[in-house]
Amino acid sequence: MSEPKSVTGTTRLAAAVRDMWGELSASERVVAQYLVSTPPENLLFASAQELGAASGTSNATVVRALQRLGYAGLPALKRELAAGFTSETAPEERLKQRIARVGHDLDEIKDRVFDEAAERLDQCRRLLETDVLKQAVQTLADAREVVAYGVGASELAARHLVLKLRRAGRRARFVGATGFTMADELLSLGRGDAVVILHPGRRLREFTVLTDRARAVGAGVVLVTDVPTGPLATHADVVISAPHTPTGITAESLAGIVVMDTLVLALASLDEARAVEASHQLTVLRGQLIDRPEPRSRKG
């Protein structure tokens, strides 16, 4: 008996096109045909606008076709296609390919970076439903202390959340430890706390230990992740999708940082007096830390 073929991003795309062909409009079929006939590495570095031009349609048609095929957006398709690309290609080779695709024209480089950032943020905004946002904000609002956990590239977004929460008058601390060191950080986690986990989709034991500990002590868990249907999501109270970069062109933590800004602004709106008072105290403390020049003495 032969082994079943592994499902790759390419085979998943082909299957989706085959299964949904009868549901696609004429223009969406044009897009679908172009997607399945184009090498995956070419799709990885293309924007929706470029795909629309190449297929003779439009960027809006590309997005609609992808959604009809079951993808949240172009970044979702790229992430699936990139899975095989990143696992089979050395990092230095991927960098060479990124540079080769982008070229050396500064306008082209600028467009590539901003297009991918816009696509990721647009998808993140569409995926963040109001009810989910409300639940996440309430979890943090009710927390005695917010613990933000992030490792690697996700550390930036976790630290960003802690900084802004403190400036809004909330108790918060960052945890980025791994291994045995992490155990010490988890000792003070207790009932009434809330944990925000910036999860990049990598299977690290620390994420499971953290969620298990939170559950054991009665702390809430808000998971911000690129894999909202992954195993870790079943242990979270709230799951927010934050698409990561499929190409490495934009920062991995970009969507996570914007989600953190959204949460903090929403929290500030719930308790404006606290946020304003914290901002005032911050200004006062900053003023005390500024060296002011001594007044010049007047000559008699």
Side-chain angles (χ1 to χ4, degrees):
M1 184 174 179
S2 60
E3 291 291 331
K5 293 182 178 180
S6 60
V7 178
T8 65
T10 304
T11 56
R12 151 94 163 87
L13 173 62
V17 171
R18 183 182 63 251
D19 295 341
M20 295 300 298
W21 186 258
E23 306 295 326
L24 301 178
S25 66
S27 58
E28 290 168 351
R29 287 182 178 182
V30 172
V31 172
Q33 283 184 319
Y34 180 79
L35 293 177
V36 295
S37 63
T38 302
E41 58 270 23
N42 289 354
L43 297 178
L44 275 178
F45 297 96
S47 65
Q49 185 174 359
E50 289 171 329
L51 291 176
S55 61
T57 58
S58 67
N59 59 337
T61 304
V62 170
V63 173
R64 285 198 305 271
L66 287 170
Q67 291 175 341
R68 192 68 67 90
L69 293 172
Y71 297 94
L74 183 56
L77 170 63
K78 289 182 176 181
R79 181 169 63 83
E80 289 196 7
L81 295 175
F85 177 72
T86 54
S87 63
E88 298 171 4
T89 310
E92 60 272 20
E93 185 59 33
R94 297 201 299 270
L95 176 59
K96 289 180 182 179
Q97 293 191 31
R98 284 201 298 269
I99 295 174
R101 295 287 175 183
V102 173
H104 300 280
D105 181 80
L106 292 181
D107 285 334
E108 178 70 14
I109 291 173
K110 178 185 68 177
D111 289 344
R112 291 281 182 176
V113 173
F114 277 82
D115 283 347
E116 180 176 291
E119 288 170 357
R120 289 176 61 196
L121 293 181
D122 181 63
Q123 181 182 352
C124 186
R125 176 169 53 184
R126 286 188 286 104
L127 292 175
L128 182 52
E129 298 177 352
T130 302
D131 289 345
V132 173
L133 176 60
K134 182 178 180 180
Q135 188 179 358
V137 171
Q138 196 60 55
T139 299
L140 301 188
D142 295 340
R144 178 185 66 91
E145 181 178 59
V146 175
V147 178
Y149 184 76
V151 294
S154 299
E155 178 179 330
L156 183 61
R159 288 190 179 276
H160 180 71
L161 174 63
V162 170
L163 176 66
K164 298 202 73 172
L165 282 175
R166 288 174 174 173
R167 289 179 176 179
R170 303 279 176 171
R171 287 186 57 182
R173 64 186 173 99
F174 165 76
V175 175
T178 56
F180 278 8
T181 307
M182 186 182 184
D184 294 283
E185 299 285 359
L186 298 183
L187 280 176
S188 59
L189 185 65
R191 179 174 296 277
D193 290 340
V195 178
V196 178
I197 302 176
L198 279 299
H199 179 237
R202 302 180 187 91
R203 291 192 174 185
L204 299 180
R205 184 171 180 80
E206 282 80 358
F207 293 116
T208 302
V209 172
L210 176 55
T211 53
D212 287 348
R213 176 64 177 176
R215 284 293 180 214
V217 300
V221 177
V222 176
L223 179 66
V224 182
T225 179
D226 186 37
V227 283
T229 57
L232 199 63
T234 59
H235 301 286
D237 297 294
V238 189
V239 180
I240 297 177
S241 179
H244 286 188
T245 173
T247 64
I249 289 177
T250 53
E252 183 176 298
S253 57
L254 174 64
I257 288 177
V258 174
V259 169
M260 299 304 103
D261 285 335
T262 305
L263 292 174
V264 174
L265 183 57
L267 273 172
S269 71
L270 288 180
D271 194 342
E272 183 178 345
R274 178 192 292 195
V276 170
E277 176 59 23
S279 179
H280 170 69
Q281 292 297 329
L282 181 65
T283 301
V284 171
L285 290 170
R286 284 173 171 172
Q288 295 173 0
L289 294 168
I290 296 175
D291 288 329
R292 293 181 172 82
E294 294 292 333
R296 294 182 179 179
S297 60
R298 295 183 180 180
K299 294 183 178 180

